[in-house]
mmCIF file with all atom_site columns, all heavy atoms in Angstrom:
data_model
loop_
_atom_site.group_PDB
_atom_site.id
_atom_site.type_symbol
_atom_site.label_atom_id
_atom_site.label_alt_id
_atom_site.label_comp_id
_atom_site.label_asym_id
_atom_site.label_entity_id
_atom_site.label_seq_id
_atom_site.pdbx_PDB_ins_code
_atom_site.Cartn_x
_atom_site.Cartn_y
_atom_site.Cartn_z
_atom_site.occupancy
_atom_site.B_iso_or_equiv
_atom_site.pdbx_formal_charge
_atom_site.auth_seq_id
_atom_site.auth_comp_id
_atom_site.auth_asym_id
_atom_site.auth_atom_id
_atom_site.pdbx_PDB_model_num
ATOM 1   N N   . SER B 1 1  ? 0.790   -1.245  0.000  1.00 0.00 ? 227 SER B N   1
ATOM 2   C CA  . SER B 1 1  ? 0.000   0.000   0.000  1.00 0.00 ? 227 SER B CA  1
ATOM 3   C C   . SER B 1 1  ? 0.814   1.283   0.000  1.00 0.00 ? 227 SER B C   1
ATOM 4   O O   . SER B 1 1  ? 0.271   2.349   0.327  1.00 0.00 ? 227 SER B O   1
ATOM 5   C CB  . SER B 1 1  ? -0.953  0.002   1.201  1.00 0.00 ? 227 SER B CB  1
ATOM 6   O OG  . SER B 1 1  ? -0.249  0.039   2.432  1.00 0.00 ? 227 SER B OG  1
ATOM 7   N N   . PHE B 1 2  ? 2.073   1.249   -0.376 1.00 0.00 ? 228 PHE B N   1
ATOM 8   C CA  . PHE B 1 2  ? 2.857   2.479   -0.407 1.00 0.00 ? 228 PHE B CA  1
ATOM 9   C C   . PHE B 1 2  ? 2.253   3.445   -1.427 1.00 0.00 ? 228 PHE B C   1
ATOM 10  O O   . PHE B 1 2  ? 2.115   3.132   -2.611 1.00 0.00 ? 228 PHE B O   1
ATOM 11  C CB  . PHE B 1 2  ? 4.312   2.177   -0.770 1.00 0.00 ? 228 PHE B CB  1
ATOM 12  C CG  . PHE B 1 2  ? 5.222   3.370   -0.686 1.00 0.00 ? 228 PHE B CG  1
ATOM 13  C CD1 . PHE B 1 2  ? 5.499   3.951   0.533  1.00 0.00 ? 228 PHE B CD1 1
ATOM 14  C CD2 . PHE B 1 2  ? 5.787   3.919   -1.823 1.00 0.00 ? 228 PHE B CD2 1
ATOM 15  C CE1 . PHE B 1 2  ? 6.332   5.067   0.620  1.00 0.00 ? 228 PHE B CE1 1
ATOM 16  C CE2 . PHE B 1 2  ? 6.621   5.018   -1.750 1.00 0.00 ? 228 PHE B CE2 1
ATOM 17  C CZ  . PHE B 1 2  ? 6.892   5.593   -0.521 1.00 0.00 ? 228 PHE B CZ  1
ATOM 18  N N   . GLY B 1 3  ? 1.868   4.621   -0.945 1.00 0.00 ? 229 GLY B N   1
ATOM 19  C CA  . GLY B 1 3  ? 1.241   5.617   -1.815 1.00 0.00 ? 229 GLY B CA  1
ATOM 20  C C   . GLY B 1 3  ? -0.276  5.632   -1.741 1.00 0.00 ? 229 GLY B C   1
ATOM 21  O O   . GLY B 1 3  ? -0.912  6.475   -2.376 1.00 0.00 ? 229 GLY B O   1
ATOM 22  N N   . ALA B 1 4  ? -0.871  4.723   -0.952 1.00 0.00 ? 230 ALA B N   1
ATOM 23  C CA  . ALA B 1 4  ? -2.328  4.681   -0.809 1.00 0.00 ? 230 ALA B CA  1
ATOM 24  C C   . ALA B 1 4  ? -2.803  5.699   0.224  1.00 0.00 ? 230 ALA B C   1
ATOM 25  O O   . ALA B 1 4  ? -2.025  6.176   1.061  1.00 0.00 ? 230 ALA B O   1
ATOM 26  C CB  . ALA B 1 4  ? -2.773  3.279   -0.412 1.00 0.00 ? 230 ALA B CB  1
ATOM 27  N N   . ARG B 1 5  ? -4.109  6.009   0.176  1.00 0.00 ? 231 ARG B N   1
ATOM 28  C CA  . ARG B 1 5  ? -4.732  6.891   1.166  1.00 0.00 ? 231 ARG B CA  1
ATOM 29  C C   . ARG B 1 5  ? -6.116  6.352   1.513  1.00 0.00 ? 231 ARG B C   1
ATOM 30  O O   . ARG B 1 5  ? -6.759  5.684   0.703  1.00 0.00 ? 231 ARG B O   1
ATOM 31  C CB  . ARG B 1 5  ? -4.885  8.324   0.624  1.00 0.00 ? 231 ARG B CB  1
ATOM 32  C CG  . ARG B 1 5  ? -3.604  8.994   0.207  1.00 0.00 ? 231 ARG B CG  1
ATOM 33  C CD  . ARG B 1 5  ? -3.809  10.481  -0.086 1.00 0.00 ? 231 ARG B CD  1
ATOM 34  N NE  . ARG B 1 5  ? -4.873  10.739  -1.053 1.00 0.00 ? 231 ARG B NE  1
ATOM 35  C CZ  . ARG B 1 5  ? -4.740  10.656  -2.367 1.00 0.00 ? 231 ARG B CZ  1
ATOM 36  N NH1 . ARG B 1 5  ? -3.582  10.267  -2.887 1.00 0.00 ? 231 ARG B NH1 1
ATOM 37  N NH2 . ARG B 1 5  ? -5.742  10.923  -3.166 1.00 0.00 ? 231 ARG B NH2 1
ATOM 38  N N   . ARG B 1 6  ? -6.536  6.643   2.716  1.00 0.00 ? 232 ARG B N   1
ATOM 39  C CA  . ARG B 1 6  ? -7.910  6.332   3.111  1.00 0.00 ? 232 ARG B CA  1
ATOM 40  C C   . ARG B 1 6  ? -8.409  7.448   4.020  1.00 0.00 ? 232 ARG B C   1
ATOM 41  O O   . ARG B 1 6  ? -7.771  7.771   5.012  1.00 0.00 ? 232 ARG B O   1
ATOM 42  C CB  . ARG B 1 6  ? -8.000  4.976   3.813  1.00 0.00 ? 232 ARG B CB  1
ATOM 43  C CG  . ARG B 1 6  ? -9.443  4.574   4.156  1.00 0.00 ? 232 ARG B CG  1
ATOM 44  C CD  . ARG B 1 6  ? -9.590  3.090   4.368  1.00 0.00 ? 232 ARG B CD  1
ATOM 45  N NE  . ARG B 1 6  ? -10.979 2.712   4.589  1.00 0.00 ? 232 ARG B NE  1
ATOM 46  C CZ  . ARG B 1 6  ? -11.463 1.486   4.455  1.00 0.00 ? 232 ARG B CZ  1
ATOM 47  N NH1 . ARG B 1 6  ? -10.655 0.489   4.082  1.00 0.00 ? 232 ARG B NH1 1
ATOM 48  N NH2 . ARG B 1 6  ? -12.737 1.218   4.675  1.00 0.00 ? 232 ARG B NH2 1
ATOM 49  N N   . ASP B 1 7  ? -9.539  8.026   3.633  1.00 0.00 ? 233 ASP B N   1
ATOM 50  C CA  . ASP B 1 7  ? -10.126 9.129   4.391  1.00 0.00 ? 233 ASP B CA  1
ATOM 51  C C   . ASP B 1 7  ? -9.107  10.238  4.634  1.00 0.00 ? 233 ASP B C   1
ATOM 52  O O   . ASP B 1 7  ? -9.053  10.839  5.713  1.00 0.00 ? 233 ASP B O   1
ATOM 53  C CB  . ASP B 1 7  ? -10.696 8.623   5.717  1.00 0.00 ? 233 ASP B CB  1
ATOM 54  C CG  . ASP B 1 7  ? -11.801 7.593   5.516  1.00 0.00 ? 233 ASP B CG  1
ATOM 55  O OD1 . ASP B 1 7  ? -12.542 7.721   4.529  1.00 0.00 ? 233 ASP B OD1 1
ATOM 56  O OD2 . ASP B 1 7  ? -11.901 6.659   6.332  1.00 0.00 ? 233 ASP B OD2 1
ATOM 57  N N   . GLY B 1 8  ? -8.285  10.509  3.618  1.00 0.00 ? 234 GLY B N   1
ATOM 58  C CA  . GLY B 1 8  ? -7.335  11.608  3.681  1.00 0.00 ? 234 GLY B CA  1
ATOM 59  C C   . GLY B 1 8  ? -6.028  11.313  4.390  1.00 0.00 ? 234 GLY B C   1
ATOM 60  O O   . GLY B 1 8  ? -5.142  12.172  4.437  1.00 0.00 ? 234 GLY B O   1
ATOM 61  N N   . THR B 1 9  ? -5.884  10.104  4.930  1.00 0.00 ? 235 THR B N   1
ATOM 62  C CA  . THR B 1 9  ? -4.663  9.739   5.648  1.00 0.00 ? 235 THR B CA  1
ATOM 63  C C   . THR B 1 9  ? -3.834  8.784   4.795  1.00 0.00 ? 235 THR B C   1
ATOM 64  O O   . THR B 1 9  ? -4.360  7.813   4.249  1.00 0.00 ? 235 THR B O   1
ATOM 65  C CB  . THR B 1 9  ? -4.996  9.066   6.996  1.00 0.00 ? 235 THR B CB  1
ATOM 66  O OG1 . THR B 1 9  ? -5.760  9.974   7.790  1.00 0.00 ? 235 THR B OG1 1
ATOM 67  C CG2 . THR B 1 9  ? -3.725  8.698   7.749  1.00 0.00 ? 235 THR B CG2 1
ATOM 68  N N   . SER B 1 10 ? -2.551  9.055   4.692  1.00 0.00 ? 236 SER B N   1
ATOM 69  C CA  . SER B 1 10 ? -1.665  8.243   3.861  1.00 0.00 ? 236 SER B CA  1
ATOM 70  C C   . SER B 1 10 ? -1.271  6.959   4.567  1.00 0.00 ? 236 SER B C   1
ATOM 71  O O   . SER B 1 10 ? -1.135  6.913   5.795  1.00 0.00 ? 236 SER B O   1
ATOM 72  C CB  . SER B 1 10 ? -0.394  9.030   3.524  1.00 0.00 ? 236 SER B CB  1
ATOM 73  O OG  . SER B 1 10 ? -0.696  10.174  2.770  1.00 0.00 ? 236 SER B OG  1
ATOM 74  N N   . SER B 1 11 ? -1.086  5.918   3.771  1.00 0.00 ? 237 SER B N   1
ATOM 75  C CA  . SER B 1 11 ? -0.489  4.702   4.311  1.00 0.00 ? 237 SER B CA  1
ATOM 76  C C   . SER B 1 11 ? 0.886   5.057   4.853  1.00 0.00 ? 237 SER B C   1
ATOM 77  O O   . SER B 1 11 ? 1.680   5.728   4.188  1.00 0.00 ? 237 SER B O   1
ATOM 78  C CB  . SER B 1 11 ? -0.354  3.646   3.210  1.00 0.00 ? 237 SER B CB  1
ATOM 79  O OG  . SER B 1 11 ? 0.239   2.470   3.720  1.00 0.00 ? 237 SER B OG  1
ATOM 80  N N   . GLY B 1 12 ? 1.155   4.617   6.063  1.00 0.00 ? 238 GLY B N   1
ATOM 81  C CA  . GLY B 1 12 ? 2.403   4.979   6.719  1.00 0.00 ? 238 GLY B CA  1
ATOM 82  C C   . GLY B 1 12 ? 2.177   5.838   7.934  1.00 0.00 ? 238 GLY B C   1
ATOM 83  O O   . GLY B 1 12 ? 3.054   5.942   8.798  1.00 0.00 ? 238 GLY B O   1
ATOM 84  N N   . SER B 1 13 ? 0.993   6.473   8.007  1.00 0.00 ? 239 SER B N   1
ATOM 85  C CA  . SER B 1 13 ? 0.685   7.300   9.177  1.00 0.00 ? 239 SER B CA  1
ATOM 86  C C   . SER B 1 13 ? -0.664  6.959   9.791  1.00 0.00 ? 239 SER B C   1
ATOM 87  O O   . SER B 1 13 ? -1.055  7.569   10.788 1.00 0.00 ? 239 SER B O   1
ATOM 88  C CB  . SER B 1 13 ? 0.728   8.792   8.815  1.00 0.00 ? 239 SER B CB  1
ATOM 89  O OG  . SER B 1 13 ? -0.176  9.097   7.769  1.00 0.00 ? 239 SER B OG  1
ATOM 90  N N   . ALA B 1 14 ? -1.384  5.979   9.231  1.00 0.00 ? 240 ALA B N   1
ATOM 91  C CA  . ALA B 1 14 ? -2.700  5.620   9.758  1.00 0.00 ? 240 ALA B CA  1
ATOM 92  C C   . ALA B 1 14 ? -2.592  4.667   10.943 1.00 0.00 ? 240 ALA B C   1
ATOM 93  O O   . ALA B 1 14 ? -3.332  4.796   11.920 1.00 0.00 ? 240 ALA B O   1
ATOM 94  C CB  . ALA B 1 14 ? -3.554  4.987   8.665  1.00 0.00 ? 240 ALA B CB  1
ATOM 95  N N   . ALA B 1 15 ? -1.684  3.695   10.861 1.00 0.00 ? 241 ALA B N   1
ATOM 96  C CA  . ALA B 1 15 ? -1.458  2.748   11.953 1.00 0.00 ? 241 ALA B CA  1
ATOM 97  C C   . ALA B 1 15 ? -0.357  3.289   12.868 1.00 0.00 ? 241 ALA B C   1
ATOM 98  O O   . ALA B 1 15 ? 0.297   4.289   12.561 1.00 0.00 ? 241 ALA B O   1
ATOM 99  C CB  . ALA B 1 15 ? -1.070  1.386   11.397 1.00 0.00 ? 241 ALA B CB  1
ATOM 100 N N   . ASP B 1 16 ? -0.140  2.608   13.991 1.00 0.00 ? 242 ASP B N   1
ATOM 101 C CA  . ASP B 1 16 ? 0.939   3.027   14.891 1.00 0.00 ? 242 ASP B CA  1
ATOM 102 C C   . ASP B 1 16 ? 2.297   2.842   14.214 1.00 0.00 ? 242 ASP B C   1
ATOM 103 O O   . ASP B 1 16 ? 3.181   3.696   14.312 1.00 0.00 ? 242 ASP B O   1
ATOM 104 C CB  . ASP B 1 16 ? 0.886   2.212   16.186 1.00 0.00 ? 242 ASP B CB  1
ATOM 105 C CG  . ASP B 1 16 ? -0.429  2.393   16.905 1.00 0.00 ? 242 ASP B CG  1
ATOM 106 O OD1 . ASP B 1 16 ? -0.914  3.532   16.990 1.00 0.00 ? 242 ASP B OD1 1
ATOM 107 O OD2 . ASP B 1 16 ? -0.990  1.377   17.376 1.00 0.00 ? 242 ASP B OD2 1
ATOM 108 N N   . PHE B 1 17 ? 2.457   1.712   13.557 1.00 0.00 ? 243 PHE B N   1
ATOM 109 C CA  . PHE B 1 17 ? 3.651   1.403   12.771 1.00 0.00 ? 243 PHE B CA  1
ATOM 110 C C   . PHE B 1 17 ? 3.173   0.830   11.438 1.00 0.00 ? 243 PHE B C   1
ATOM 111 O O   . PHE B 1 17 ? 2.154   0.148   11.385 1.00 0.00 ? 243 PHE B O   1
ATOM 112 C CB  . PHE B 1 17 ? 4.541   0.360   13.464 1.00 0.00 ? 243 PHE B CB  1
ATOM 113 C CG  . PHE B 1 17 ? 5.131   0.814   14.768 1.00 0.00 ? 243 PHE B CG  1
ATOM 114 C CD1 . PHE B 1 17 ? 4.398   0.761   15.945 1.00 0.00 ? 243 PHE B CD1 1
ATOM 115 C CD2 . PHE B 1 17 ? 6.444   1.280   14.828 1.00 0.00 ? 243 PHE B CD2 1
ATOM 116 C CE1 . PHE B 1 17 ? 4.942   1.178   17.156 1.00 0.00 ? 243 PHE B CE1 1
ATOM 117 C CE2 . PHE B 1 17 ? 6.997   1.699   16.033 1.00 0.00 ? 243 PHE B CE2 1
ATOM 118 C CZ  . PHE B 1 17 ? 6.241   1.646   17.193 1.00 0.00 ? 243 PHE B CZ  1
ATOM 119 N N   . THR B 1 18 ? 3.908   1.112   10.367 1.00 0.00 ? 244 THR B N   1
ATOM 120 C CA  . THR B 1 18 ? 3.581   0.555   9.055  1.00 0.00 ? 244 THR B CA  1
ATOM 121 C C   . THR B 1 18 ? 4.861   0.067   8.391  1.00 0.00 ? 244 THR B C   1
ATOM 122 O O   . THR B 1 18 ? 5.863   0.786   8.364  1.00 0.00 ? 244 THR B O   1
ATOM 123 C CB  . THR B 1 18 ? 2.921   1.604   8.139  1.00 0.00 ? 244 THR B CB  1
ATOM 124 O OG1 . THR B 1 18 ? 1.754   2.134   8.786  1.00 0.00 ? 244 THR B OG1 1
ATOM 125 C CG2 . THR B 1 18 ? 2.518   0.979   6.805  1.00 0.00 ? 244 THR B CG2 1
ATOM 126 N N   . THR B 1 19 ? 4.807   -1.155  7.877  1.00 0.00 ? 245 THR B N   1
ATOM 127 C CA  . THR B 1 19 ? 5.962   -1.713  7.174  1.00 0.00 ? 245 THR B CA  1
ATOM 128 C C   . THR B 1 19 ? 5.653   -1.817  5.687  1.00 0.00 ? 245 THR B C   1
ATOM 129 O O   . THR B 1 19 ? 4.549   -2.191  5.289  1.00 0.00 ? 245 THR B O   1
ATOM 130 C CB  . THR B 1 19 ? 6.340   -3.097  7.737  1.00 0.00 ? 245 THR B CB  1
ATOM 131 O OG1 . THR B 1 19 ? 5.221   -3.998  7.596  1.00 0.00 ? 245 THR B OG1 1
ATOM 132 C CG2 . THR B 1 19 ? 6.710   -2.990  9.210  1.00 0.00 ? 245 THR B CG2 1
ATOM 133 N N   . PHE B 1 20 ? 6.638   -1.482  4.866  1.00 0.00 ? 246 PHE B N   1
ATOM 134 C CA  . PHE B 1 20 ? 6.486   -1.483  3.410  1.00 0.00 ? 246 PHE B CA  1
ATOM 135 C C   . PHE B 1 20 ? 7.483   -2.434  2.765  1.00 0.00 ? 246 PHE B C   1
ATOM 136 O O   . PHE B 1 20 ? 8.571   -2.669  3.299  1.00 0.00 ? 246 PHE B O   1
ATOM 137 C CB  . PHE B 1 20 ? 6.729   -0.083  2.844  1.00 0.00 ? 246 PHE B CB  1
ATOM 138 C CG  . PHE B 1 20 ? 5.732   0.947   3.275  1.00 0.00 ? 246 PHE B CG  1
ATOM 139 C CD1 . PHE B 1 20 ? 6.114   1.980   4.127  1.00 0.00 ? 246 PHE B CD1 1
ATOM 140 C CD2 . PHE B 1 20 ? 4.414   0.898   2.839  1.00 0.00 ? 246 PHE B CD2 1
ATOM 141 C CE1 . PHE B 1 20 ? 5.205   2.950   4.527  1.00 0.00 ? 246 PHE B CE1 1
ATOM 142 C CE2 . PHE B 1 20 ? 3.494   1.866   3.242  1.00 0.00 ? 246 PHE B CE2 1
ATOM 143 C CZ  . PHE B 1 20 ? 3.894   2.881   4.088  1.00 0.00 ? 246 PHE B CZ  1
ATOM 144 N N   . SER B 1 21 ? 7.101   -2.946  1.602  1.00 0.00 ? 247 SER B N   1
ATOM 145 C CA  . SER B 1 21 ? 7.999   -3.768  0.802  1.00 0.00 ? 247 SER B CA  1
ATOM 146 C C   . SER B 1 21 ? 8.396   -3.030  -0.472 1.00 0.00 ? 247 SER B C   1
ATOM 147 O O   . SER B 1 21 ? 7.546   -2.458  -1.157 1.00 0.00 ? 247 SER B O   1
ATOM 148 C CB  . SER B 1 21 ? 7.332   -5.094  0.417  1.00 0.00 ? 247 SER B CB  1
ATOM 149 O OG  . SER B 1 21 ? 8.162   -5.825  -0.470 1.00 0.00 ? 247 SER B OG  1
ATOM 150 N N   . PHE B 1 22 ? 9.689   -3.060  -0.776 1.00 0.00 ? 248 PHE B N   1
ATOM 151 C CA  . PHE B 1 22 ? 10.215  -2.543  -2.036 1.00 0.00 ? 248 PHE B CA  1
ATOM 152 C C   . PHE B 1 22 ? 10.857  -3.674  -2.847 1.00 0.00 ? 248 PHE B C   1
ATOM 153 O O   . PHE B 1 22 ? 11.837  -3.485  -3.552 1.00 0.00 ? 248 PHE B O   1
ATOM 154 C CB  . PHE B 1 22 ? 11.229  -1.423  -1.780 1.00 0.00 ? 248 PHE B CB  1
ATOM 155 C CG  . PHE B 1 22 ? 10.668  -0.260  -0.998 1.00 0.00 ? 248 PHE B CG  1
ATOM 156 C CD1 . PHE B 1 22 ? 11.458  0.416   -0.074 1.00 0.00 ? 248 PHE B CD1 1
ATOM 157 C CD2 . PHE B 1 22 ? 9.364   0.173   -1.183 1.00 0.00 ? 248 PHE B CD2 1
ATOM 158 C CE1 . PHE B 1 22 ? 10.958  1.489   0.645  1.00 0.00 ? 248 PHE B CE1 1
ATOM 159 C CE2 . PHE B 1 22 ? 8.846   1.250   -0.468 1.00 0.00 ? 248 PHE B CE2 1
ATOM 160 C CZ  . PHE B 1 22 ? 9.657   1.911   0.458  1.00 0.00 ? 248 PHE B CZ  1
ATOM 161 N N   . HIS B 1 23 ? 10.269  -4.863  -2.702 1.00 0.00 ? 249 HIS B N   1
ATOM 162 C CA  . HIS B 1 23 ? 10.730  -6.040  -3.440 1.00 0.00 ? 249 HIS B CA  1
ATOM 163 C C   . HIS B 1 23 ? 10.579  -5.821  -4.945 1.00 0.00 ? 249 HIS B C   1
ATOM 164 O O   . HIS B 1 23 ? 9.875   -4.912  -5.392 1.00 0.00 ? 249 HIS B O   1
ATOM 165 C CB  . HIS B 1 23 ? 9.914   -7.263  -2.981 1.00 0.00 ? 249 HIS B CB  1
ATOM 166 C CG  . HIS B 1 23 ? 10.257  -8.533  -3.668 1.00 0.00 ? 249 HIS B CG  1
ATOM 167 N ND1 . HIS B 1 23 ? 9.522   -9.027  -4.731 1.00 0.00 ? 249 HIS B ND1 1
ATOM 168 C CD2 . HIS B 1 23 ? 11.247  -9.418  -3.450 1.00 0.00 ? 249 HIS B CD2 1
ATOM 169 C CE1 . HIS B 1 23 ? 10.053  -10.163 -5.138 1.00 0.00 ? 249 HIS B CE1 1
ATOM 170 N NE2 . HIS B 1 23 ? 11.099  -10.425 -4.375 1.00 0.00 ? 249 HIS B NE2 1
ATOM 171 N N   . ALA B 1 24 ? 11.204  -6.677  -5.723 1.00 0.00 ? 250 ALA B N   1
ATOM 172 C CA  . ALA B 1 24 ? 11.243  -6.510  -7.173 1.00 0.00 ? 250 ALA B CA  1
ATOM 173 C C   . ALA B 1 24 ? 9.864   -6.421  -7.821 1.00 0.00 ? 250 ALA B C   1
ATOM 174 O O   . ALA B 1 24 ? 9.710   -5.757  -8.856 1.00 0.00 ? 250 ALA B O   1
ATOM 175 C CB  . ALA B 1 24 ? 12.041  -7.652  -7.805 1.00 0.00 ? 250 ALA B CB  1
ATOM 176 N N   . VAL B 1 25 ? 8.842   -7.079  -7.243 1.00 0.00 ? 251 VAL B N   1
ATOM 177 C CA  . VAL B 1 25 ? 7.527   -7.076  -7.877 1.00 0.00 ? 251 VAL B CA  1
ATOM 178 C C   . VAL B 1 25 ? 6.607   -5.990  -7.333 1.00 0.00 ? 251 VAL B C   1
ATOM 179 O O   . VAL B 1 25 ? 5.462   -5.874  -7.777 1.00 0.00 ? 251 VAL B O   1
ATOM 180 C CB  . VAL B 1 25 ? 6.829   -8.451  -7.717 1.00 0.00 ? 251 VAL B CB  1
ATOM 181 C CG1 . VAL B 1 25 ? 7.662   -9.553  -8.325 1.00 0.00 ? 251 VAL B CG1 1
ATOM 182 C CG2 . VAL B 1 25 ? 6.509   -8.750  -6.255 1.00 0.00 ? 251 VAL B CG2 1
ATOM 183 N N   . LYS B 1 26 ? 7.078   -5.182  -6.397 1.00 0.00 ? 252 LYS B N   1
ATOM 184 C CA  . LYS B 1 26 ? 6.215   -4.170  -5.799 1.00 0.00 ? 252 LYS B CA  1
ATOM 185 C C   . LYS B 1 26 ? 6.139   -2.914  -6.672 1.00 0.00 ? 252 LYS B C   1
ATOM 186 O O   . LYS B 1 26 ? 6.944   -2.708  -7.582 1.00 0.00 ? 252 LYS B O   1
ATOM 187 C CB  . LYS B 1 26 ? 6.715   -3.816  -4.396 1.00 0.00 ? 252 LYS B CB  1
ATOM 188 C CG  . LYS B 1 26 ? 6.644   -4.982  -3.417 1.00 0.00 ? 252 LYS B CG  1
ATOM 189 C CD  . LYS B 1 26 ? 5.241   -5.529  -3.286 1.00 0.00 ? 252 LYS B CD  1
ATOM 190 C CE  . LYS B 1 26 ? 5.078   -6.535  -2.154 1.00 0.00 ? 252 LYS B CE  1
ATOM 191 N NZ  . LYS B 1 26 ? 5.769   -7.808  -2.401 1.00 0.00 ? 252 LYS B NZ  1
ATOM 192 N N   . ASN B 1 27 ? 5.142   -2.064  -6.358 1.00 0.00 ? 253 ASN B N   1
ATOM 193 C CA  . ASN B 1 27 ? 4.936   -0.833  -7.140 1.00 0.00 ? 253 ASN B CA  1
ATOM 194 C C   . ASN B 1 27 ? 6.212   -0.020  -7.262 1.00 0.00 ? 253 ASN B C   1
ATOM 195 O O   . ASN B 1 27 ? 6.568   0.471   -8.329 1.00 0.00 ? 253 ASN B O   1
ATOM 196 C CB  . ASN B 1 27 ? 3.887   0.049   -6.470 1.00 0.00 ? 253 ASN B CB  1
ATOM 197 C CG  . ASN B 1 27 ? 2.488   -0.497  -6.592 1.00 0.00 ? 253 ASN B CG  1
ATOM 198 O OD1 . ASN B 1 27 ? 2.289   -1.667  -6.895 1.00 0.00 ? 253 ASN B OD1 1
ATOM 199 N ND2 . ASN B 1 27 ? 1.504   0.360   -6.339 1.00 0.00 ? 253 ASN B ND2 1
ATOM 200 N N   . LEU B 1 28 ? 6.866   0.187   -6.128 1.00 0.00 ? 254 LEU B N   1
ATOM 201 C CA  . LEU B 1 28 ? 8.149   0.887   -6.073 1.00 0.00 ? 254 LEU B CA  1
ATOM 202 C C   . LEU B 1 28 ? 9.190   -0.114  -5.604 1.00 0.00 ? 254 LEU B C   1
ATOM 203 O O   . LEU B 1 28 ? 9.012   -0.747  -4.562 1.00 0.00 ? 254 LEU B O   1
ATOM 204 C CB  . LEU B 1 28 ? 8.082   2.077   -5.122 1.00 0.00 ? 254 LEU B CB  1
ATOM 205 C CG  . LEU B 1 28 ? 9.348   2.949   -5.052 1.00 0.00 ? 254 LEU B CG  1
ATOM 206 C CD1 . LEU B 1 28 ? 8.976   4.426   -4.898 1.00 0.00 ? 254 LEU B CD1 1
ATOM 207 C CD2 . LEU B 1 28 ? 10.261  2.533   -3.909 1.00 0.00 ? 254 LEU B CD2 1
ATOM 208 N N   . THR B 1 29 ? 10.242  -0.280  -6.365 1.00 0.00 ? 255 THR B N   1
ATOM 209 C CA  . THR B 1 29 ? 11.214  -1.319  -6.026 1.00 0.00 ? 255 THR B CA  1
ATOM 210 C C   . THR B 1 29 ? 12.599  -0.750  -5.755 1.00 0.00 ? 255 THR B C   1
ATOM 211 O O   . THR B 1 29 ? 12.991  0.275   -6.319 1.00 0.00 ? 255 THR B O   1
ATOM 212 C CB  . THR B 1 29 ? 11.311  -2.385  -7.132 1.00 0.00 ? 255 THR B CB  1
ATOM 213 O OG1 . THR B 1 29 ? 12.179  -3.431  -6.703 1.00 0.00 ? 255 THR B OG1 1
ATOM 214 C CG2 . THR B 1 29 ? 11.852  -1.796  -8.431 1.00 0.00 ? 255 THR B CG2 1
ATOM 215 N N   . THR B 1 30 ? 13.316  -1.437  -4.876 1.00 0.00 ? 256 THR B N   1
ATOM 216 C CA  . THR B 1 30 ? 14.750  -1.226  -4.685 1.00 0.00 ? 256 THR B CA  1
ATOM 217 C C   . THR B 1 30 ? 15.471  -2.557  -4.937 1.00 0.00 ? 256 THR B C   1
ATOM 218 O O   . THR B 1 30 ? 16.551  -2.776  -4.406 1.00 0.00 ? 256 THR B O   1
ATOM 219 C CB  . THR B 1 30 ? 15.058  -0.723  -3.263 1.00 0.00 ? 256 THR B CB  1
ATOM 220 O OG1 . THR B 1 30 ? 14.565  -1.664  -2.299 1.00 0.00 ? 256 THR B OG1 1
ATOM 221 C CG2 . THR B 1 30 ? 14.409  0.632   -3.007 1.00 0.00 ? 256 THR B CG2 1
ATOM 222 N N   . ALA B 1 31 ? 14.856  -3.435  -5.720 1.00 0.00 ? 257 ALA B N   1
ATOM 223 C CA  . ALA B 1 31 ? 15.283  -4.812  -5.995 1.00 0.00 ? 257 ALA B CA  1
ATOM 224 C C   . ALA B 1 31 ? 14.915  -5.694  -4.807 1.00 0.00 ? 257 ALA B C   1
ATOM 225 O O   . ALA B 1 31 ? 14.085  -6.602  -4.927 1.00 0.00 ? 257 ALA B O   1
ATOM 226 C CB  . ALA B 1 31 ? 16.762  -4.914  -6.335 1.00 0.00 ? 257 ALA B CB  1
ATOM 227 N N   . GLU B 1 32 ? 15.557  -5.508  -3.699 1.00 0.00 ? 258 GLU B N   1
ATOM 228 C CA  . GLU B 1 32 ? 15.152  -6.053  -2.409 1.00 0.00 ? 258 GLU B CA  1
ATOM 229 C C   . GLU B 1 32 ? 15.174  -4.891  -1.430 1.00 0.00 ? 258 GLU B C   1
ATOM 230 O O   . GLU B 1 32 ? 16.083  -4.069  -1.463 1.00 0.00 ? 258 GLU B O   1
ATOM 231 C CB  . GLU B 1 32 ? 16.099  -7.154  -1.921 1.00 0.00 ? 258 GLU B CB  1
ATOM 232 C CG  . GLU B 1 32 ? 16.076  -8.434  -2.739 1.00 0.00 ? 258 GLU B CG  1
ATOM 233 C CD  . GLU B 1 32 ? 14.857  -9.301  -2.475 1.00 0.00 ? 258 GLU B CD  1
ATOM 234 O OE1 . GLU B 1 32 ? 14.054  -8.977  -1.566 1.00 0.00 ? 258 GLU B OE1 1
ATOM 235 O OE2 . GLU B 1 32 ? 14.688  -10.307 -3.195 1.00 0.00 ? 258 GLU B OE2 1
#
């Protein structure tokens, strides 16, 4: 959900902690 929003709040700030993946198949990648 990197880059998503719900009710005006971005993914990354809605929960207490949020973890993201930048794996090769994800929207935004760093390879791993």
Side-chain angles (χ1 to χ4, degrees):
S227 65
F228 186 67
R231 301 190 306 278
R232 184 159 184 161
D233 299 326
T235 301
S236 297
S237 179
S239 58
D242 300 317
F243 296 82
T244 304
T245 59
F246 295 111
S247 174
F248 302 144
H249 179 262
V251 301
K252 296 302 190 291
N253 288 17
L254 184 143
T255 185
T256 58
E258 292 284 354

